[in-house]
């Protein structure tokens, strides 16, 4: 039952002899082990380096096992944690149970108990990851939501995924542009063992050409070895160029040439190379306006936009917020082997938020709420603690009240549009709406509107 060398294990126990014993046994099993008897030193490492598994003593001076476990779960929620304790009492373990930790080693333990507890924890981790992976395959598209705009985007993804066209995804930050790009790749003929390589063009800077197309050894100061570049690495796969609007003009020209015929040259090399790469680009900027201003090439814009997918801000698709809430809570709960619940008024408060950071902000907010909540049932107070506000106006409405409010909004929007199109003509307004004259007058009177205002 030897382990793969890629499995990294963190061991923290203030008793040096126990830490050394675990280190020796697991190293012999093939694990990559980092062991500490100083919990504060381990705390610093845990926030920077990811481990697949952590074995942590619960009672330690300075930073205890609960604090260290919370740190690991905040930074790397996929890490499986085994709690070590010599005092298996309810009061001692209760904080760990509330955090969703389910794997324990009770002192004193022998070599066999250690090996099989580690094996069981990693087996559970593999099962959880397989479940999440299968769920993604079943959906075909990872965009969560029930709004018409989300359904339209899902359909576009499935449709354009079957082609080999370049795709341009446009929309605000945090609206899921990389998720869409990955789904396009997943639904394409390139998905089978071919790479999907994401790049943020905003961070390439002056090294953009070298990063994209590679360079030969000695091409410039510091170029000690030849590199393939992202284009070469993505051969037969998909290259996702996020924030494409940040590319410098000279790099735009080179990218255009590559899009035209698949040919490119490495920095410092005159040889012409070829790569079969599908380009999916994304931006939160107005590229058409940039074309008019001369900061983005018009020919590159048209070459990138073989298909265009536009995302919608979260505040314009409120219907998606509840499905997203349940999706993220299920995701965080699965990682901790627990189930989160959330009250109706807490959901109502989250739905009413504007979310300028879109889905990314909602996800981060829910993660923070789930980590700081004292129970598995998230309340309005938990939400208010993170979002702020008194919550007095966020009481959950009855079906009847909510329906009346929605219908009023609909009536106002519809009748305003009708009066505007009819230009104040009652006859035209009745023709457009198909409403009876008496009903029409009653409605506009209720809403404080007048036909004359639109003439």
């Amino acid at each position: 039952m030897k382990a793969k060398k890629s499995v990294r294990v963190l061991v923290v126990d203030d008793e040096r002899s126990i830490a050394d014993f675990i280190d020796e046994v697991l190293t012999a099993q093939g694990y990559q082990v980092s062991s500490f008897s100083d919990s504060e030193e381990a705390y610093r490492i845990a926030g920077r380096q990811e481990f697949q598994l952590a074995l942590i003593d619960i009672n330690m001076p300075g930073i205890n096992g609960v604090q260290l476990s919370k740190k690991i779960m905040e930074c790397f929620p996929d890490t499986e944690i085994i709690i070590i304790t010599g005092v298996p009492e309810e009061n001692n373990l209760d904080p760990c149970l509330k955090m969703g930790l389910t794997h324990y080693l009770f002192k004193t333990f022998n070599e066999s108990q250690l090996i099989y507890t580690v094996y069981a924890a990693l087996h559970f981790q593999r099962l959880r990851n397989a479940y999440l992976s299968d769920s993604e395959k079943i959906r075909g598209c990872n965009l969560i939501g029930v709004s018409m705009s989300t359904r339209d985007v899902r359909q576009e993804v499935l449709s354009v995924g079957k082609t080999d066209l370049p795709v341009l995804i446009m929309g605000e930050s945090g609206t899921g542009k990389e998720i869409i790009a990955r789904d396009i790749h997943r639904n394409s003929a390139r998905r089978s063992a071919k790479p999907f390589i994401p790049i943020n063009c905003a961070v390439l800077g002056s090294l953009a050409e070298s990063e994209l197309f590679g360079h030969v050894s000695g091409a410039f100061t510091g170029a000690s070895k030849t590199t393939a570049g992202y284009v070469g690495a993505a051969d037969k796969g998909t290259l996702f160029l996020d924030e494409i609007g940040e590319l410098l003009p000279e790099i735009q020209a080179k990218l255009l040439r590559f899009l035209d015929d698949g040919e490119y040259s490495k920095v410092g090399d005159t040889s012409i190379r070829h790569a079969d790469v599908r380009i999916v680009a994304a931006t939160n900027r107005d590229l058409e306006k940039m074309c008019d201003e001369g900061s983005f090439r018009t020919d590159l814009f048209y070459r990138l936009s073989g298909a265009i997918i536009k995302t919608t801000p979260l505040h314009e698709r409120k219907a998606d917020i509840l499905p997203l809430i349940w999706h993220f809570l299920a995701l965080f709960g699965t990682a901790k082997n627990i189930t989160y619940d959330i009250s109706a008024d807490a959901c109502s408060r989250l739905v009413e938020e504007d979310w300028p950071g879109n889905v990314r902000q909602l996800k981060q907010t829910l993660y923070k709420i789930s980590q700081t909540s004292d129970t598995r049932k998230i309340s309005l107070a938990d939400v208010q603690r993170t979002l702020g506000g008194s919550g007095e106006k966020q009481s959950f409405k009855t079906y009847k009240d909510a329906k009346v409010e929605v219908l009023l909004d609909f009536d106002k929007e519809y009748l305003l549009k009708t009066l505007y199109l009819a230009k104040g003509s009652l006859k035209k307004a009745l023709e457009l709406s198909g409403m009876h004259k008496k009903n029409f007058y009653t409605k506009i009177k209720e809403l404080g509107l007048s036909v004359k205002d639109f003439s």
Side-chain angles (χ1 to χ4, degrees), residues 369-440:
I369 291 170
S370 68
Q371 297 302 304
T372 56
S373 175
D374 293 331
T375 67
R376 299 178 187 181
K377 177 68 177 280
I378 295 172
S379 66
L380 177 59
D382 294 321
V383 174
Q384 295 296 354
R385 194 180 305 118
T386 300
L387 293 182
S390 64
E392 292 176 1
K393 297 182 180 179
Q394 283 78 35
S395 59
F396 191 72
K397 297 179 178 66
T398 64
Y399 171 80
K400 183 179 179 181
D401 290 342
K403 184 179 179 181
V404 169
E405 186 176 300
V406 170
L407 288 175
L408 279 172
D409 288 341
F410 169 78
D411 285 347
K412 188 169 185 177
E413 182 180 351
Y414 181 83
L415 292 173
L416 278 169
K417 186 175 182 180
T418 303
L419 290 167
Y420 174 77
L421 292 172
K423 297 180 180 178
S425 168
L426 177 60
K427 182 180 178 181
K428 184 66 174 176
L430 294 176
E431 286 176 2
L432 288 171
S433 65
M435 294 175 68
H436 190 277
K437 183 177 180 179
K438 183 179 179 181
N439 290 340
F440 188 86

Side-chain angles (χ1 to χ4, degrees), residues 143-155 317 320:
L143 279 181
I144 304 298
V146 295
S147 69
M148 188 57 70
S149 60
T150 298
R151 292 179 185 181
D152 288 344
V153 170
R154 271 202 295 263
Q155 189 56 50
R317 47 187 176 97
D320 289 347

Side-chain angles (χ1 to χ4, degrees), residues 25-42:
V25 171
L26 295 186
T27 299
Q29 289 291 310
Y31 297 96
Q32 293 183 15
V33 182
S34 298
S35 61
F36 299 87
S37 57
D38 183 343
S39 61
E40 293 186 1
E41 183 181 358

Side-chain angles (χ1 to χ4, degrees), residues 220-255:
F220 52 85
T221 304
S224 57
K225 59 181 181 179
T226 299
T227 64
Y230 290 120
V231 166
D235 191 25
K236 304 293 190 298
T238 302
L239 187 62
F240 175 51
L241 300 176
D242 197 10
E243 304 302 343
I244 188 74
E246 306 303 323
L247 278 184
L248 297 173
E250 57 267 28
I251 306 303
Q252 293 177 28
K254 293 179 183 295
L255 179 60

